[in-house]
Amino acid sequence: EGSTTDAAFGGEEEEDMIKQAFRDTFVKVDRGLLDEADIEPLYAGTTACVVLMRQNKLYISNAGDSRAVLARRKKSIDCDANDGSDDATTSKHMQQLVTVPLSIDQNPDSPGEQERIIQAGGFVSPPPEPGLSSRVWLDSSHTQIGLAMARSIGDHAVKGVGVIAEPVVTVHTVEKGDEFMILATDGVWEFLSSEDAVDIVSKHLFDDGGRDITDAARGASVACEALIKAASEKWHQNEGDYRDDITAIVVRLKSLWRP
């Protein structure tokens, strides 16, 4: 019986069960907000980006525009940061790592998302300028609501026009070179790319040779604080005293799983 269980572990049937469990949970939480006395889900809502690790598999469940990315160690370093090439200004840390997206931002104008919203009777406005988000509206004049994501938990005022709580669930198989994950809200990604974030975090985890410079738990905390600080400074430079929610988690994968 043990061998049969081991063989089945991580198979397609289990993956399907986990994906469905994520979908059911997100939708149940969304509906459960109606019973929360201190929350008004008609106009209040949240994104959600959740990662479950089982053995060497990551199950990423995402609703909205929070994001999960992974940093993977390159098998070889293509060029030195001081070799005079076009990449000479790139951090050595970044040259040793590649950024792997674990989730996809679900913006109102994203393929599949926009079509669903329009079919449900909603309206989508394009980003007002590069770097800003498209929005979902209840009316063609773009005066009612203006939600900047296509999926969310809560925000029930736009649930009738195609904004849904059901997440997109993806699966990533952890490889030997996978170093760390970053999960963060859109306040981090507004002015920082995924590559920027990986570079900032890696500088506080590894030296130029790719060796650890601190213990796993403390290193992840220090790196996460540096990422939040960098995102906050970008908001201050671009928006003054205003900033969106900036929440982030850094997870060292090798402290959780070893090949």
Side-chain angles (χ1 to χ4, degrees):
E1 292 182 3
S3 60
T4 302
T5 302
D6 292 341
F9 190 93
E12 289 186 10
E13 183 177 354
E14 184 186 63
E15 286 192 7
D16 291 342
M17 290 176 61
I18 292 175
K19 288 180 178 180
Q20 190 59 50
F22 265 128
R23 296 186 191 103
D24 293 344
T25 299
F26 274 48
V27 171
K28 185 176 181 179
V29 170
D30 178 66
R31 292 173 178 167
L33 293 178
L34 294 170
D35 300 323
E36 295 291 334
D38 297 329
I39 298 176
E40 176 45 79
L42 189 65
Y43 299 112
T46 182
T47 63
C49 187
V50 182
V51 177
L52 170 69
M53 187 173 194
R54 285 178 66 88
Q55 298 287 70
N56 67 330
K57 294 287 184 69
L58 299 177
Y59 296 85
I60 305 96
S61 183
N62 190 52
D65 55 2
S66 290
R67 186 185 305 171
V69 300
L70 178 143
R72 173 176 292 163
R73 181 73 56 190
K74 286 185 178 181
K75 293 182 180 179
S76 63
I77 301 175
D78 299 324
C79 61
D80 187 86
N82 297 313
D83 65 1
S85 69
D86 292 339
D87 292 330
T89 58
T90 303
S91 163
K92 283 185 179 181
H93 302 86
M94 191 61 195
Q95 288 183 16
Q96 296 174 5
L97 297 169
V98 292
T99 302
V100 180
L102 296 178
S103 64
I104 300 174
D105 297 355
Q106 294 145 10
N107 299 313
D109 61 349
S110 298
E113 306 293 334
Q114 180 168 335
E115 289 80 359
R116 184 187 67 250
I117 292 167
I118 292 175
Q119 186 175 11
F123 300 86
V124 176
S125 64
E129 60 182 79
L132 298 182
S133 177
S134 57
R135 290 183 178 273
V136 180
W137 305 88
L138 292 174
D139 64 319
S140 59
S141 299
H142 301 165
T143 62
Q144 299 178 44
I145 305 302
L147 187 68
M149 64 200 74
R151 302 184 187 222
S152 73
I153 294 174
D155 298 308
H156 290 176
V158 287
K159 283 296 190 282
V161 293
V163 176
I164 60 177
E166 181 176 317
V168 174
V169 185
T170 54
V171 182
H172 172 82
T173 300
V174 179
E175 298 182 5
K176 184 177 180 180
D178 291 352
E179 293 285 355
F180 60 85
M181 287 187 297
I182 302 171
L183 285 76
T185 60
D186 63 314
V188 171
W189 311 115
E190 188 75 25
F191 300 108
L192 295 175
S193 67
S194 297
E195 290 74 17
D196 290 335
V198 166
D199 194 20
I200 292 166
V201 169
S202 66
K203 289 177 181 177
H204 293 80
L205 298 180
F206 312 111
D207 63 19
D208 288 344
R211 296 175 291 272
D212 287 358
I213 58 176
T214 185
D215 65 90
R218 173 169 164 72
S221 296
V222 171
C224 190
E225 290 173 2
L227 176 61
I228 291 173
K229 181 180 179 181
S232 299
E233 290 174 348
K234 284 291 187 179
W235 273 94
H236 185 71
Q237 293 169 11
N238 289 274
E239 300 291 341
D241 292 335
Y242 174 79
R243 70 181 190 184
D244 204 346
D245 175 82
I246 298 174
T247 302
I249 302 172
V250 173
V251 181
R252 306 257 340 237
L253 288 172
K254 291 184 178 178
S255 66
L256 301 177
W257 177 83
R258 295 185 182 279

